[in-house]
Amino acid sequence: MSGRRLPGLLLATGQFLPVSDIHRLARTSSVARLVMDADSEILDMGRKVRRATAAQRRTILARYTSCMVDGCPLPAHLCQIDHIDNWSDGGATDLDRLGPTCQFHNRDRYRRPERYRLYRAGKDRWAFAYLGPRPTRRT
Ligand SMILES: [Zn+2]
C-alpha cells in the first residue's frame, strides 16, 4: 500500500478516515484560535466570527461604563460592541480589541477614522479621543 492510500487519523475521536475525506477536510476547513478563561468562556475569537460572544460582552460591560469615545455619555450597556480595528480591515474579535461604542460613534469612526485617535485608558481599556474634522485648506 502506498503512502497516498493510507487513511488519516482523526485525533479527536481516534477514527480513521479515507484519504478522500482528509483531502476534503483540508480544502473546506479553516483553523480557528479560541482563547478561553478559567470558566471555559471564550474570550478571543480571532477572525472566525464577527460578533462578540456573551462572555466577551459581559467582560466589556464590567470594564467600561460608557461609550469609549471621550465625552460620550451613552451607557456601555446600551452600546454596540465595536472592533477597535475595523472588522472589514482585518480586525479580530478578541477581548483586548473590542469595546463599547454607541451606534453614532461606531458608524462615524468607520466612515471618518481620521477624526479619532485611539489611546490606552487603563490596563484593559481603550478610549478614542475625538479630533473633529480636519481643517479645510484655503486656496
Ligand atoms: Zn458614543
Side-chain angles (χ1 to χ4, degrees):
M1 179 180 254
S2 81
R4 297 183 64 149
R5 291 186 171 180
L6 289 174
L9 174 63
L10 195 57
L11 290 176
T13 64
Q15 179 183 10
F16 285 102
L17 299 175
V19 170
S20 60
D21 284 359
I22 298 299
H23 289 178
R24 181 182 50 79
L25 286 171
R27 283 192 315 270
T28 59
S29 301
S30 61
V31 176
R33 175 181 56 88
L34 299 177
V35 177
M36 302 172 121
D37 67 7
D39 296 324
S40 299
E41 294 186 305
I42 296 171
L43 300 179
D44 289 355
M45 295 290 293
R47 292 281 304 164
K48 189 65 180 170
V49 296
R50 180 177 182 162
R51 295 191 64 172
T53 65
Q56 287 173 323
R57 184 171 178 81
R58 281 193 302 274
T59 304
I60 289 164
L61 295 180
R63 291 179 176 176
Y64 294 85
T65 58
S66 64
C67 171
M68 64 180 168
V69 175
D70 288 350
C72 182
L74 197 76
H77 72 275
L78 297 178
C79 289
Q80 301 169 339
I81 302 302
D82 192 9
H83 290 82
I84 288 173
D85 311 303
N86 286 324
W87 172 263
S88 58
D89 296 333
T93 308
D94 291 350
L95 184 60
D96 190 48
R97 304 305 291 175
L98 298 171
T101 55
C102 66
Q103 186 172 3
F104 172 79
H105 283 125
N106 191 340
R107 287 188 183 168
D108 196 51
R109 213 174 59 71
Y110 178 76
R111 291 181 182 148
R112 301 176 186 92
E114 73 281 1
R115 293 184 178 188
Y116 296 87
R117 182 179 51 80
L118 177 69
Y119 69 94
R120 273 279 184 197
K123 179 177 167 256
D124 54 6
R125 289 172 34 96
W126 293 97
F128 285 100
Y130 181 71
L131 308 174
R134 288 186 175 161
T136 55
R137 296 178 77 183
R138 295 181 184 212
T139 53

